[in-house]
Amino acid sequence: MKNIKKALLIVLILLVQVSLYAVSFSSSILSVSSDAHLFSCEGNGGFFGGFFPLEAEYRYKTALPAVLKDNGFSLNLDFNSGIKERLLKVNPETGEVLSEGERASSLYQIHYVYFDIDFSKAIISEPYLDEDILSVHLSIYGDYENAYESFTWLDNPVNTDGVFLNYLQGTHSFEDKYSSYKYVPEVKGKRMMAHTGFGLSAVFNWKEETEMTKDGLWGSAVIKYMPSWMPFHDNFDSNYVALYLNAGAAFTLLEMSQMSFGPTTGLDALSVYIETEFDAIGAWGNDIPQYAVERRVWNTDVPSSHIIVANTTSLVINGFQIKKDLYPTITIFNDMAFAFGGGINGTEGGNGFVGSIGARLDFNIFSMFSLYGEVGFVYKDLYNRNPGLRYALGTKVRV
């Protein structure tokens, strides 16, 4: 099994964006993930039918002197890179919310690199938990994004027939539009952006989680300041403060061992737990980038507003375990968000409620690969491309 995991990991790493090559693997934790549809009501298949890893995350643990480590200090580098799909919500020339016809082909792609140099101090520790119960963090952030009209930028970085073609015609030449790659919608014509800043955060973690169960509470509060005077900050008009609040709880309702049906195998026949998580996002300032207030509710997009409050509540049913890391999971969920405070950067709209309810069936294979099918009903969608019932069949990779 270890050889299979190692081989798959090597293949995935080779496929991940070349921007990751500079990160040392010697003392790091690596997470590579892919979650894309083989087919869906929207026809989005992702890279190679969903088998290409779209995200990779590294946590590099730095060895500190013993006097610091023994007193609860740690220094980590969190590095994220990948590709994600984003919905163009407003006309970048006028700031008006796109009409239903304009939204029909308004998806574009982002290649991103985010990093966080994190210096933390444990306030309350618990030797039986993987993480500190309470810790405070001082961080230096860096964010980079480059927008493309479609994934075909791999072989043709200058697309001529996508969503961007609908704008800046007549006032800008083709060369002006594409040669500098300076165009990300909704942020005053920037297609490529880099921001740096710093922040403070507090993280609370009091939960126990196994493959089949989840119990406890968790939460965090993060304040980020991304000033224009920081180095490697290419948009001198961008100057903003962002606040991120998170709180969650989980409780295992049932855990039934297979010994109830015969000789014990050390495996579970069934487990059920309920989980709920709340998020609040707020951002204020000039030229706020899209990712600062980005939030997605199942199969729909939340308006790009100054303030977003969201909740996801799920009932998770695991089992029967055929063997360790080999079992089905059914998730029944309700996902919703409310946006208010007006659109960022003076854009119109940006207020309203979105919500969906549905279910998902995953068949987990060795805790790193699964086949899934999902179906749900979007009962409120401000950026509605396919109203009502939505479905998808896909693959998920988590390493």
Side-chain angles (χ1 to χ4, degrees), residues 175-217:
E175 290 75 15
D176 290 338
K177 180 182 173 185
Y178 286 104
S179 61
S180 64
Y181 299 106
K182 293 286 188 181
Y183 188 74
V184 169
E186 300 162 296
V187 192
K188 295 188 176 179
K190 285 284 186 180
R191 179 170 175 167
M192 182 174 65
M193 297 186 302
H195 297 90
T196 53
F198 53 89
L200 293 171
S201 60
V203 178
F204 172 75
N205 178 65
W206 191 43
K207 71 175 185 288
E208 294 185 71
E209 186 174 4
T210 69
E211 188 178 35
M212 304 290 284
T213 64
K214 193 172 185 179
D215 292 274
L217 305 170

Side-chain angles (χ1 to χ4, degrees), residues 72-323:
F73 289 95
S74 64
L75 178 62
N76 299 316
L77 168 64
D78 293 326
F79 186 91
N80 297 268
S81 181
I83 299 169
K84 59 185 174 182
E85 195 169 59
R86 185 175 287 162
L87 177 67
L88 178 64
K89 302 173 184 178
V90 302
N91 185 316
E93 293 179 304
T94 66
E96 295 178 354
V97 176
L98 296 182
S99 67
E100 184 174 353
E102 290 175 313
R103 289 197 302 269
S105 60
S106 57
L107 290 173
Y108 64 100
Q109 282 71 45
I110 296 293
H111 176 219
Y112 65 89
V113 177
Y114 305 146
F115 75 84
D116 173 6
I117 301 173
D118 176 68
F119 184 70
S120 66
K121 171 66 170 72
I123 305 300
I124 304 176
S125 299
E126 170 55 61
Y128 299 105
L129 296 177
D130 292 334
E131 300 180 26
D132 298 319
I133 294 179
L134 180 64
S135 59
V136 293
H137 302 252
L138 172 64
S139 301
I140 298 176
Y141 299 105
D143 304 314
Y144 164 85
E145 283 194 354
N146 205 345
Y148 301 89
E149 295 193 5
S150 71
F151 285 137
T152 56
W153 65 265
L154 286 171
D155 54 34
N156 177 19
V158 179
N159 308 141
T160 59
D161 57 357
V163 60
F164 297 162
L165 189 66
N166 297 325
Y167 306 103
L168 300 181
Q169 297 301 302
T171 59
H172 293 72
S173 68
F174 178 88
E175 290 75 15
D176 290 338
K177 180 182 173 185
Y178 286 104
S179 61
S180 64
Y181 299 106
K182 293 286 188 181
Y183 188 74
V184 169
E186 300 162 296
V187 192
K188 295 188 176 179
K190 285 284 186 180
R191 179 170 175 167
M192 182 174 65
M193 297 186 302
H195 297 90
T196 53
F198 53 89
L200 293 171
S201 60
V203 178
F204 172 75
N205 178 65
W206 191 43
K207 71 175 185 288
E208 294 185 71
E209 186 174 4
T210 69
E211 188 178 35
M212 304 290 284
T213 64
K214 193 172 185 179
D215 292 274
L217 305 170
W218 63 91
S220 64
V222 182
I223 184 166
K224 296 173 66 173
Y225 178 39
M226 310 293 277
S228 59
W229 48 262
M230 284 287 287
F232 309 108
H233 198 105
D234 74 346
N235 185 354
F236 296 106
D237 294 326
S238 181
N239 193 324
Y240 69 95
V241 174
L243 176 66
Y244 304 92
L245 302 176
N246 169 267
F251 179 71
T252 299
L253 303 173
L254 172 68
E255 185 178 13
M256 184 182 299
S257 170
Q258 290 186 20
M259 66 182 299
S260 303
F261 303 93
T264 180
T265 61
L267 302 176
D268 279 350
L270 179 69
S271 70
V272 182
Y273 66 85
I274 189 169
E275 177 181 9
T276 186
E277 191 162 23
F278 295 88
D279 291 288
I281 302 171
W284 301 269
N286 300 321
D287 283 9
I288 302 169
Q290 176 78 1
Y291 52 82
V293 293
E294 197 162 47
R295 180 63 161 82
R296 186 168 177 83
V297 165
W298 182 83
N299 247 326
T300 188
D301 293 88
V302 180
S304 300
S305 306
H306 282 286
I307 301 174
I308 296 170
V309 179
N311 170 251
T312 299
T313 299
S314 304
L315 180 70
V316 182
I317 305 169
N318 294 309
F320 187 93
Q321 277 188 296
I322 300 171
K323 59 184 302 184

Side-chain angles (χ1 to χ4, degrees), residues 320-340:
F320 187 93
Q321 277 188 296
I322 300 171
K323 59 184 302 184
K324 184 175 174 58
D325 302 335
L326 194 65
Y327 59 92
T329 296
I330 298 175
T331 303
I332 302 170
F333 62 86
N334 181 67
D335 204 2
M336 56 187 178
F338 183 71
F340 55 98

